[in-house]
Amino acid sequence: MITPAFDISQESDFLIITIKVPYARASEFDVYIDGDDFKFYAKPYFLRLTLPGRIVEDGRQKATYNADDGIFTVRVPKETPGQHFEGLNLLTSLLAPKGARTTKRLIEEIGSSNEGPADSDHEEDFDWQIDQTPFEEVPTSALNSQCSYGFANLSVGVFSRLQEELNDVIDLRDPDVTPAAERTHGRLAAEKAKFDPDHYLADLFEDDAILHLLKFKPWWVEVQHGISNLSLENQENRVTFTEKEKQQLRKFTNKSYLLDKKAEKQLYLGLIDLLLAYCYEVRVTEGERNVESAWNIRKLSGTLSWFENHMSAKDVLVTFGRRVLCYPLYRNFCLVNKAIQDAGSLLRLGKAAVLKSLLDIHAIFQANDPAYILNDLYITDYCIWIQKVKSKKLSALSDCIQAASIAKADLGFDLEELEEAANLVQEEEKLLQVSDSVPRQPAARATSETSSSYASTETEDTSSDEDETSSSSEEIQDSLEQLPGETTTPLIQVMDNRQTHPNTAAEADSSPTQPSVPLQAAGSTEEKVQAAVTIPDIPLRHTSDDTDRSQETDCAARHSERTEPKCLSRAFLEVTPRMNPLLIVQQSEEEEMLLVD
């Protein structure tokens, strides 16, 4: 038989059951109503519901069938008009048979009536030394039965068969042989090694993106808006499930769990841990799933990543806060507090809102290949178990979270000292910037004064050089006027002979030892000219390579003589491309010796 898709709603006096039965014959419908039992049959579909209230068959019931859509709608009157049926959106619990609702133990131990419970007055007679020593003495194979995990610690030996997928799902290594106490120590050590102060301070001071995320309003805020005056039952009715979520609820197998108080407490604490990770994920992704959603949820939950068994509500909050500051992209303490507030809001909305959140986690893990193992270990059983939990307990759990608020000092990362040191560094940088900006104007003035003084000094030096040059030029002009006429005549005649007799000029040029024409002048005037004026030699054309090399040798020699520190100040005249017969040629030492001889 096939269980059809169905949905239930209610009015003041009627219960409306909508059943989707495509390709069914209208002549084969059969409806059974008796108290809190409702049964529907249309081959090959069969539906049996155990309702939270009683219904009657008094002639007011009505059934309609839409053949185009294949939807069968039944209106059934309530036995007590105006009665509110609680939990009609918890479809898995409605599918449970009537006998499965009992919490009585189906298996009891016979012959142990004289023995008291574990928490009775005979507790001091128990030998506690036996349980404290086996971790070091018993072999590893004997510990497998003690290292349990999963929902209510009901799973054992799962990862021994899935060792290849272990590294992609949880942080705990060898969970089948790791006791609960060692899991906690390993988690704390891993978080301490992973914490990055630079990343934390960057998110603390550069918080534009985080402030934007804090303003986001998730779906439970919209549901909670405007229902503060409504009762708890009416608040749960404001939570609606999508068709996909309803289909998922119909696939779950109804179960009953025999739990003691300790196991039930751990389940509630684990539920807080799951909701905190889910609230953080919804806020940082702004309600849009992405490829990192499964990683975020399982990484932030100590229950899913380390199979942690929490001992108190504050322990859960501290674990969640530490993991937020170590692993995700946004590591800010404000996001920790915001996720705690969101989890409290979900719990105050009742089990319908909690169930919707768990179904969302289930869908995220189901779409991620290695994370489906966590659905089998935790989420599926949580989705079934939460439907049978009273909403008042969830409301009390919300108050417990608010009472167990945490501070930065509780996380164990010395956040306050780290922030104080960062603030001191920022203040020192500001003071340095201020101190650097104050002396800039005097330094600029000093620089300008130095440059102006340098410019004035340079101007004075230049003017003095110009004066010396002009005075030297005047002395040269005076000396030229004082030279006798026969001194200039041979030079003019030689140049004229070069123009009129080119052959003779060529012969004179070809001679490497051709002396220059001496310049007769007074001793004082000649010294002044040599000290003030240096005239570069005019290169002559040669007809052979040997003559060129000899000329280069002579030029090098003359250059070395000019560079000697005989003349301290020299004025260079511009060389003209035209041959000037009045050029003053400096005499070398050899020429002076020839003249003396």
Side-chain angles (χ1 to χ4, degrees):
M1 304 298 288
I2 301 174
T3 302
F6 68 97
D7 193 13
I8 303 178
S9 60
Q10 61 180 328
E11 296 177 354
S12 178
D13 299 334
F14 287 90
L15 200 66
I16 303 172
I17 305 174
T18 304
I19 308 171
K20 189 174 183 179
V21 285
Y23 311 110
R25 295 184 180 181
S27 59
E28 297 182 356
F29 290 122
D30 188 9
V31 177
Y32 174 78
I33 299 173
D34 183 16
D36 56 356
D37 290 340
F38 175 85
K39 297 178 183 179
F40 170 83
Y41 172 77
K43 189 178 181 180
Y45 300 99
F46 177 75
L47 177 64
R48 179 185 59 202
L49 301 176
T50 303
L51 302 173
R54 297 180 62 85
I55 55 178
V56 294
E57 186 177 2
D58 56 359
R60 293 181 297 165
Q61 66 275 7
K62 182 180 179 181
T64 59
Y65 177 68
N66 186 344
D68 295 334
D69 298 333
I71 296 177
F72 192 87
T73 304
V74 183
R75 290 176 58 89
V76 185
K78 298 179 180 179
E79 185 178 68
T80 304
Q83 180 183 1
H84 177 78
F85 286 10
E86 181 182 356
L88 293 178
N89 51 359
L90 309 179
L91 305 183
T92 305
S93 61
L94 297 178
L95 291 173
K98 188 174 182 179
R101 288 178 170 270
T102 178
T103 58
K104 183 179 179 181
R105 293 190 178 185
L106 302 180
I107 301 176
E108 296 182 359
E109 186 178 357
I110 301 176
S112 59
S113 57
N114 294 331
E115 297 180 2
D119 54 351
S120 63
D121 296 336
H122 300 281
E123 188 174 7
E124 65 265 15
D125 297 335
F126 192 85
D127 189 3
W128 291 100
Q129 293 298 117
I130 298 176
D131 290 338
Q132 293 177 354
T133 55
F135 295 105
E136 298 179 357
E137 297 180 358
V138 239
T140 305
S141 58
L143 289 175
N144 291 336
S145 59
Q146 299 182 11
C147 300
S148 57
Y149 41 83
F151 180 85
N153 290 326
L154 298 177
S155 300
V156 177
V158 175
F159 284 95
S160 61
R161 303 186 301 270
L162 301 172
Q163 190 68 29
E164 295 181 356
E165 300 182 2
L166 172 65
N167 296 333
D168 297 331
V169 179
I170 62 176
D171 295 341
L172 177 63
R173 298 296 174 263
D174 298 326
D176 295 318
V177 296
T178 306
E182 293 185 10
R183 298 174 197 170
T184 302
H185 294 313
R187 176 183 61 80
L188 294 175
E191 292 167 358
K192 183 178 180 180
K194 183 64 177 177
F195 178 70
D196 186 1
D198 294 336
H199 195 148
Y200 171 76
L201 292 176
D203 288 348
L204 178 65
F205 293 105
E206 300 176 4
D207 57 351
D208 294 339
I210 294 174
L211 293 177
H212 174 72
L213 296 176
L214 293 175
K215 297 177 182 179
F216 173 73
K217 295 182 179 180
W219 61 265
W220 54 82
V221 175
E222 298 178 359
V223 173
Q224 193 178 17
H225 180 69
I227 63 174
S228 57
N229 297 328
L230 298 178
S231 61
L232 190 59
E233 293 80 6
N234 293 330
Q235 290 182 12
E236 291 186 356
N237 293 333
R238 293 288 300 272
V239 179
T240 59
F241 295 94
T242 63
E243 187 61 32
K244 187 176 181 180
E245 292 170 345
K246 294 177 182 179
Q247 183 69 22
Q248 187 63 42
L249 284 174
R250 288 189 287 266
K251 291 181 180 179
F252 291 149
T253 302
N254 186 68
K255 298 179 182 179
S256 295
Y257 303 96
L258 301 177
L259 305 173
D260 56 10
K261 291 184 178 181
K262 182 179 180 180
E264 188 176 3
K265 178 182 178 181
Q266 291 182 353
L267 284 181
Y268 281 113
L269 296 177
L271 177 63
I272 296 174
D273 191 27
L274 295 177
L275 293 180
L276 288 172
Y278 172 74
C279 291
Y280 178 91
E281 157 63 22
V282 173
R283 182 165 293 278
V284 298
T285 59
E286 297 182 299
E288 300 291 336
R289 299 178 188 173
N290 55 36
V291 294
E292 298 294 334
S293 296
W295 184 90
N296 275 340
I297 294 176
R298 70 173 186 257
K299 204 72 174 180
L300 297 180
S301 171
T303 302
L304 299 179
S305 58
W306 283 89
F307 297 160
E308 184 73 51
N309 293 324
H310 301 285
M311 304 305 297
S312 63
K314 188 170 183 178
D315 184 23
V316 179
L317 301 183
V318 170
T319 301
F320 170 73
R322 287 173 60 90
R323 300 191 72 79
V324 167
L325 299 185
C326 291
Y327 293 100
L329 176 62
Y330 301 106
R331 307 177 186 180
N332 191 280
F333 189 74
C334 294
L335 288 176
V336 176
N337 289 329
K338 198 65 177 179
I340 295 174
Q341 296 177 7
D342 292 337
S345 300
L346 276 176
L347 291 171
R348 281 192 296 271
L349 288 176
K351 56 186 177 182
V354 176
L355 176 59
K356 186 177 181 67
S357 303
L358 293 173
L359 289 174
D360 198 5
I361 298 175
H362 190 280
I364 292 173
F365 286 168
Q366 198 69 24
N368 189 274
D369 188 20
Y372 74 93
I373 303 174
L374 299 177
N375 279 342
D376 297 338
L377 291 176
Y378 288 96
I379 310 303
T380 300
D381 290 310
Y382 264 110
C383 291
I384 299 172
W385 171 75
I386 198 63
Q387 300 181 51
K388 303 175 183 180
V389 173
K390 294 182 179 181
S391 296
K392 293 182 179 180
K393 288 187 176 182
L394 298 181
S395 179
L397 193 62
S398 175
D399 298 335
C400 181
I401 292 178
Q402 299 299 327
S405 59
I406 60 173
K408 294 181 180 181
D410 298 328
L411 303 183
F413 291 139
D414 298 331
L415 299 180
E416 295 178 350
E417 291 80 358
L418 186 63
E419 293 177 10
E420 184 178 358
N423 291 327
L424 291 176
V425 171
Q426 283 191 340
E427 292 178 359
E428 290 179 359
E429 291 179 352
K430 292 180 180 179
L431 292 176
L432 289 176
Q433 291 176 358
V434 173
S435 61
D436 291 341
S437 61
V438 169
R440 286 180 180 176
Q441 295 180 353
R445 289 195 297 269
T447 305
S448 62
E449 292 175 359
T450 305
S451 60
S452 60
S453 62
Y454 175 76
S456 61
T457 305
E458 184 178 3
T459 305
E460 294 175 358
D461 295 339
T462 306
S463 60
S464 62
D465 293 340
E466 292 177 354
D467 295 338
E468 292 177 0
T469 305
S470 60
S471 61
S472 300
S473 301
E474 292 176 356
E475 293 177 357
I476 293 171
Q477 295 295 332
D478 296 338
S479 62
L480 289 176
E481 293 178 357
Q482 295 176 2
L483 291 176
E486 62 270 16
T487 305
T488 58
T489 302
L491 180 60
I492 297 173
Q493 290 178 356
V494 170
M495 299 306 297
D496 292 338
N497 291 333
R498 288 186 178 181
Q499 294 178 358
T500 56
H501 303 284
N503 295 329
T504 306
E507 292 176 358
D509 294 338
S510 61
S511 177
T513 59
Q514 180 69 26
S516 300
V517 179
L519 180 62
Q520 299 296 333
S524 60
T525 306
E526 183 179 356
E527 292 176 357
K528 294 180 179 179
V529 171
Q530 290 180 355
V533 182
T534 300
I535 305 301
D537 296 335
I538 300 174
L540 302 177
R541 296 182 179 178
H542 302 279
T543 57
S544 63
D545 296 337
D546 296 337
T547 307
D548 292 338
R549 287 193 291 269
S550 63
Q551 183 66 27
E552 291 177 359
T553 305
D554 295 338
C555 292
R558 286 194 297 269
H559 178 72
S560 61
E561 293 174 358
R562 291 169 188 168
T563 55
E564 292 178 358
K566 294 181 179 180
C567 302
L568 299 178
S569 62
R570 296 177 181 179
F572 297 92
L573 298 181
E574 182 178 2
V575 179
T576 177
R578 298 178 59 186
M579 187 174 294
N580 191 350
L582 298 179
L583 288 176
I584 301 173
V585 181
Q586 181 180 0
Q587 295 178 350
S588 62
E589 294 181 357
E590 296 178 356
E591 293 172 349
E592 291 179 357
M593 295 296 294
L594 291 175
L595 291 176
V596 173
D597 295 338

